[in-house]
């Protein structure tokens, strides 16, 4: 890695990256609440509208390693800024798109831009952060998403109610423009070691990293199986117009609180412990949601808990992948971001199937089952649990070192 001595990522530079994840987060959290309006305007079913989330996630997952390889020798500041400008272009396509096909194309362009921005943001933060503060650096960047869920979602939904869902997309485009300018002007010049596509794919034959990437592709699926259809979930208990706004605000508040807790928790305890606890809570919360979904307030409580769980399903897993990556940690982390979006796509797709076949009441039970499967896979395949001659494997030692206060 080539960088100037003054280019350490201080808090204010991490906050610049957080502005970008705020824009991405507003998009990700607002869209589920606007799906009924999107479906009506574009003359498609609710399940079909939900696949806009899937398209974004697939574009991110497929584009991330390709973009990282094509831009391998470029300044990360340029790549991060260009990524946010591409996201901006995708949002403009969605806001102005006259048909579902054009809006879908906009989701794909936005997904590619998000891949360039977010994967590189986390990779640069991981490389430039001390091991004992890496999870906290990840959490600062992720705070943009959590703040979006608290402030951006109500704001976006209100704009959607006043100006329509396209007005909300134009607002997100404006946020993306601000984030792109800040990233291009305020980030340090950082060049990470160039890595060929063959070398990136070679990471996938490392059993330890491959297992962790598979887990990354699974962890977010149960969360998005429910949250991508939040409007439908709360619609079971009430038809009030404010219900979706309140539900997403509560979910976002939980997500924000989880983000504030997860950095220190994951730095203090092993990441595997944090992830295991989060999956257990996710199972319990979805079981409770499946029982209380006919009552609005208990539904809000369950969504609040699921919001808290959201951060704990991503940050510890990112730290596990980064530590296991060793010399190719930045590559592994970019692939981890792609796999997380695979999980997002899988969850949204499965949720659409459940919604179409069985109805809204079966979303939470399906999410509980998926979370239980993910927990089993995570625990049974965890490299940290293996020992060699009675000593922890290097991955476990590295995780322990990174967890020291």
């Amino acid at each position: 890695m080539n960088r100037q001595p003054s280019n350490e990522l201080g808090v204010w530079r991490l906050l610049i990256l957080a502005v970008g994840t705020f824009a991405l987060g507003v998009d990700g959290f607002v869209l589920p609440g606007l799906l009924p309006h999107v479906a009506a305007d574009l003359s498609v079913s609710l399940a079909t509208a939900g696949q806009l989330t899937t398209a974004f996630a697939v574009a991110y997952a497929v584009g991330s390693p390709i973009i990282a390889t094509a831009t391998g020798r470029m300044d990360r500041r340029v790549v991060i800024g260009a990524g946010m400008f591409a996201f901006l272009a995708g949002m403009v396509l969605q806001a102005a798109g006259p048909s579902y096909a054009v809006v879908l194309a906009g989701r794909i362009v936005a997904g590619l831009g998000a891949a360039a921005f977010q994967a590189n943001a986390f990779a640069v933060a991981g490389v430039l952060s001390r091991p004992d503060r890496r999870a906290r650096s990840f959490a600062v960047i992720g705070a943009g998403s959590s703040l979006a869920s608290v402030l951006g979602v109500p704001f976006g939904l209100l704009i959607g109610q006043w100006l329509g869902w396209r007005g909300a997309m134009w607002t997100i485009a404006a946020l993306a423009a601000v984030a792109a300018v800040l990233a291009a002007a305020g980030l340090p010049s950082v060049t990470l070691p160039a890595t060929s596509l063959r070398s990136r794919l070679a990471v996938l034959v490392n059993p330890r990293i491959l297992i962790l990437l598979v887990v990354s592709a699974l962890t977010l699926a149960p969360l998005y199986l429910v949250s991508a259809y939040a409007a439908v979930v709360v619609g079971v208990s009430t038809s009030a117009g404010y219900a979706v706004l309140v539900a997403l605000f509560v979910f976002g508040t939980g997500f924000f609180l989880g983000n504030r807790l997860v950095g220190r928790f994951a730095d203090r305890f092993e990441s595997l412990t944090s992830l295991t606890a989060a999956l257990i809570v996710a199972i319990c919360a979805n079981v409770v949601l499946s029982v209380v979904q006919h009552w609005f307030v208990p539904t809000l409580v369950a969504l609040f808990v699921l919001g808290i769980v959201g951060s704990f399903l991503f940050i510890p897993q990112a730290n596990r992948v980064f530590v296991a990556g060793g010399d190719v940690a930045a590559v592994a982390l970019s692939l981890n971001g792609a796999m997380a979006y695979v999980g997002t796509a899988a969850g949204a797709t499965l949720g659409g199937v459940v919604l179409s076949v069985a109805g809204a009441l079966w979303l939470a039970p399906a999410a509980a089952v998926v979370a239980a499967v993910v927990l089993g896979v995570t625990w049974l395949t965890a490299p940290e649990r293996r020992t060699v001659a009675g000593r922890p494997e290097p991955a476990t030692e590295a995780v322990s070192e990174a967890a020291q206060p």
Side-chain angles (χ1 to χ4, degrees):
M1 177 185 63
N2 300 317
R3 58 185 177 87
Q4 299 300 318
S6 61
N7 284 346
E8 299 294 339
L9 273 188
V11 173
W12 71 275
R13 280 170 169 161
L14 290 171
L15 291 175
I16 287 177
L17 296 175
V19 172
T21 58
F22 177 80
L24 300 180
V26 172
D27 175 50
F29 282 112
V30 166
L31 186 61
L34 296 175
L35 282 183
H37 306 285
V38 174
D41 186 37
L42 299 178
S43 300
V44 298
S45 69
L46 191 61
T48 300
Q51 298 316 303
L52 293 172
T53 299
T54 304
F56 183 99
V58 171
Y60 187 111
V62 174
S64 182
I66 297 175
I67 293 171
T69 301
T71 62
R73 297 184 182 279
M74 295 177 62
D75 188 335
R76 295 300 95 184
R77 174 176 56 189
V78 174
V79 177
I80 288 172
M84 187 52 67
F85 276 115
F87 176 77
L88 165 62
M91 296 311 302
V92 170
L93 272 178
Q94 293 170 71
S99 66
Y100 179 81
V102 176
V103 174
L104 182 65
R107 292 305 291 169
I108 293 172
V109 173
L112 294 174
F117 176 89
Q118 190 157 283
N120 281 288
F122 278 95
V124 169
V127 168
L128 297 185
S129 298
R130 299 198 313 265
D132 62 322
R133 295 191 61 85
R134 187 182 303 120
R136 268 171 275 190
S137 294
F138 291 161
V140 170
I141 298 175
S145 295
S146 62
L147 188 61
S149 64
V150 176
L151 300 179
V153 168
F155 183 64
L157 289 180
L158 286 174
I159 290 177
Q161 292 176 3
W162 294 335
L163 303 177
W165 70 272
R166 295 181 187 275
M169 296 299 104
W170 281 116
T171 302
I172 296 170
L175 289 173
V178 172
V181 171
L182 287 177
L187 292 179
S189 178
V190 180
T191 303
L192 301 179
T195 309
S196 66
L197 183 59
R198 176 180 296 181
S199 298
R200 290 178 179 274
L201 294 178
V203 172
L204 298 178
V205 303
N206 182 317
R208 182 186 305 158
I209 298 176
L210 179 60
I211 288 171
L212 290 173
L213 290 175
V214 170
V215 172
S216 296
L218 296 174
T219 49
L220 294 179
L223 182 71
Y224 278 87
L225 197 158
V226 171
S227 65
Y229 300 93
V232 180
V233 171
V234 297
V236 173
S237 60
T238 179
S239 59
Y242 62 82
V244 176
L245 180 64
V246 173
L248 289 177
F249 178 78
V250 168
F251 178 84
T253 301
F255 196 90
F256 181 79
L257 177 60
N259 182 269
R260 304 311 300 159
L261 296 174
V262 66
R264 292 184 180 277
F265 194 93
D267 277 333
R268 184 175 182 83
F269 301 99
E270 289 190 352
S271 294
L272 177 60
T273 301
S274 303
L275 182 60
T276 300
L279 287 168
I280 292 173
V281 173
I283 295 169
C284 296
N286 278 299
V287 169
V288 170
L289 179 59
S290 66
V291 174
V292 305
Q293 198 171 343
H294 287 288
W295 298 276
F296 184 55
V297 173
T299 297
L300 293 181
V301 174
L303 289 174
F304 177 76
V305 175
L306 286 175
I308 294 176
V309 166
S311 294
F312 280 81
L313 291 176
F314 179 75
I315 299 298
Q317 181 62 18
N319 199 38
R320 294 178 75 210
V321 171
F322 188 89
V323 171
D327 293 338
V328 290
V331 174
L333 194 60
S334 68
L335 291 173
N336 178 73
M339 292 301 101
Y341 273 92
V342 169
T344 299
T349 300
L350 182 57
V353 172
V354 172
L355 184 61
S356 298
V357 174
L361 287 174
W362 287 95
L363 288 171
V369 172
V370 173
V373 172
V374 176
L375 175 61
V377 173
T378 300
W379 189 251
L380 291 175
T381 62
E384 296 96 325
R385 295 180 58 239
R386 299 197 182 99
T387 58
V388 178
R391 289 177 54 81
E393 283 190 338
T396 303
E397 292 178 347
V399 169
S400 300
E401 178 184 354
Q404 295 300 315

